[in-house]
Amino acid sequence: MLEFKSDDLGRHTRMLSIVVPTWNYAEHLEACLRSVITQMTGECELVVIDDGSTDNTLAILQAFDVPEGLHVYYLRQENAGPAAARNKCIEVASGRWVMPLDSDDVLCDGAISSVLRALETHPGIELILGAYYVVDQCGTVRLKLPAALAESSRQRVEDYLLTGKTSMVHGACVFPRVLLQDCPYSADLRQGEDIVVFAKALMSHQILRLNKPLVIIKKHKDSLRHDASMALAHGHKVTEMVFAQLPDEFFALRRPFEAKRALSTFRRCYRAKRYDVADQLYRQAWKLSWQQSVRWSYLSKWLRMQLTFCFQKRG
């Protein structure tokens, strides 16, 4: 059984804390926890926070069997969003390093041992970026290897925010705990909160890339990652908070990043058939950066919408 608010929590310093916030993901949670617990050692701890779930998450946590000697804990709080839950995990965790993991994903076999080995053999590193698998709703699996990183921090951030050359996901990143304390997840955001932290982390000087896959990211229809309403509600806040954490020299990236955010939300609204809102977003993105907007993956959708509008008017 997982321990609830154990007195041992946070008392001993360990090498690595795996932190898992969860909210109404009971159907995925057991697989996530098992993927962690089956490969844990005494150098690790697992901290799970139930962010006010209303499904049977609590029953799963209370009944979960944990082998003796492992440091596994859970806490429960009123629903405050994934950022607040992750921050609480980090606050109570004891690890010098933190591996955030989403509760609908699973660690790959050998992920923890690979991370611990990397931390032991590269004591000067400030960030680990690992490979990961993405499994779409059709079951197609893609391997994403960490790309080569630019030498300058500005170019690394640009490659992450704008070009897509650098990708980061929870479960494939390992951070110093102090970095996450200095740059906590914004509790005002319920989507995109990781972008702020990832951009800040890429300013680190010593970054280690691991080609070992660390996590399997599962895409599913109820994932908060793809919620169009949340994207609309938080899009501008994400931009504000990203650039509040970056030096003034990064300000030139703001306008194209706003365009990219608008186009990303445009695509979500298009898929949700919210065409009026999607049209506004595309026009907003065009004003910010027509160069990004003319990409066929976006332009083709907008043109199809215009045809739909024409048929509706004729009808």
Side-chain angles (χ1 to χ4, degrees), residues 31-303:
C32 174
L33 298 182
R34 198 162 302 284
S35 75
V36 177
I37 289 172
T38 54
Q39 51 183 302
M40 283 179 64
T41 70
E43 299 174 273
C44 309
E45 68 180 5
L46 169 62
V47 181
V48 184
I49 289 198
D50 177 11
D51 187 37
S53 296
T54 55
D55 59 6
N56 63 328
T57 290
L58 183 58
I60 289 173
L61 290 171
Q62 291 175 330
F64 202 88
D65 184 38
V66 177
E68 186 175 351
L70 296 185
H71 310 291
V72 182
Y73 315 99
Y74 83 88
L75 299 88
R76 181 174 170 81
Q77 65 180 24
E78 294 298 318
N79 180 255
R86 282 196 191 94
N87 289 339
K88 185 62 177 179
C89 282
I90 294 160
E91 175 189 334
V92 302
S94 66
R96 294 195 295 274
W97 290 83
V98 174
M99 186 181 204
L101 178 64
D102 291 337
S103 62
D104 53 341
D105 299 328
V106 296
L107 289 187
C108 297
D109 292 342
I112 290 178
S113 61
S114 295
V115 168
L116 291 174
R117 193 180 312 116
L119 294 175
E120 291 168 0
T121 55
H122 300 84
I125 60 172
E126 300 171 280
L127 176 67
I128 292 178
L129 300 181
Y132 59 95
Y133 292 109
V134 177
V135 182
D136 66 21
Q137 296 182 43
C138 297
T140 303
V141 181
R142 291 180 294 122
L143 173 62
K144 302 280 287 186
L145 296 172
L149 296 171
E151 290 191 11
S152 75
S153 60
R154 187 189 185 282
Q155 188 60 53
R156 288 196 298 272
V157 172
E158 181 174 350
D159 287 344
Y160 169 63
L161 293 179
L162 299 182
T163 70
K165 291 180 181 178
T166 298
S167 63
M168 298 176 68
V169 297
H170 287 132
C173 302
V174 184
F175 306 90
R177 183 163 171 258
V178 293
L179 186 151
L180 297 179
Q181 291 172 319
D182 291 342
C183 181
Y185 293 89
S186 174
D188 291 336
L189 299 175
R190 298 215 171 200
Q191 189 186 83
E193 76 285 349
D194 51 351
I195 298 174
V196 182
V197 174
F198 292 168
K200 182 72 172 181
L202 283 169
M203 294 182 64
S204 303
H205 298 292
Q206 300 296 323
I207 302 175
L208 178 67
R209 293 182 296 130
L210 287 181
N211 285 332
K212 160 72 179 178
L214 300 181
V215 68
I216 302 172
I217 306 296
K218 299 178 180 179
K219 294 189 174 182
H220 50 90
K221 62 182 180 180
D222 58 339
S223 174
L224 296 180
R225 300 180 183 112
H226 311 298
D227 189 293
S229 296
M230 284 192 179
L232 286 168
H234 298 299
H236 186 67
K237 289 183 182 179
V238 171
T239 301
E240 291 288 341
M241 292 177 180
V242 165
F243 288 91
Q245 290 288 341
L246 297 175
D248 291 344
E249 65 190 86
F250 289 75
F251 190 77
L253 303 177
R254 176 168 179 150
R255 189 177 178 88
F257 178 68
E258 283 186 290
K260 185 179 178 183
R261 292 290 301 171
L263 289 167
S264 176
T265 308
F266 155 77
R267 184 164 50 195
R268 293 177 190 179
C269 290
Y270 176 86
R271 290 171 178 168
K273 297 184 178 180
R274 300 176 64 174
Y275 295 139
D276 288 341
V277 178
D279 183 59
Q280 294 173 17
L281 287 163
Y282 186 83
R283 293 174 187 275
Q284 174 187 340
W286 184 280
K287 292 178 181 178
L288 291 165
S289 173
W290 66 265
Q291 296 91 335
Q292 294 184 70
S293 303
V294 295
R295 287 179 56 186
W296 188 243
S297 60
Y298 300 120
L299 180 58
S300 62
K301 293 179 176 61
W302 184 77
L303 291 173

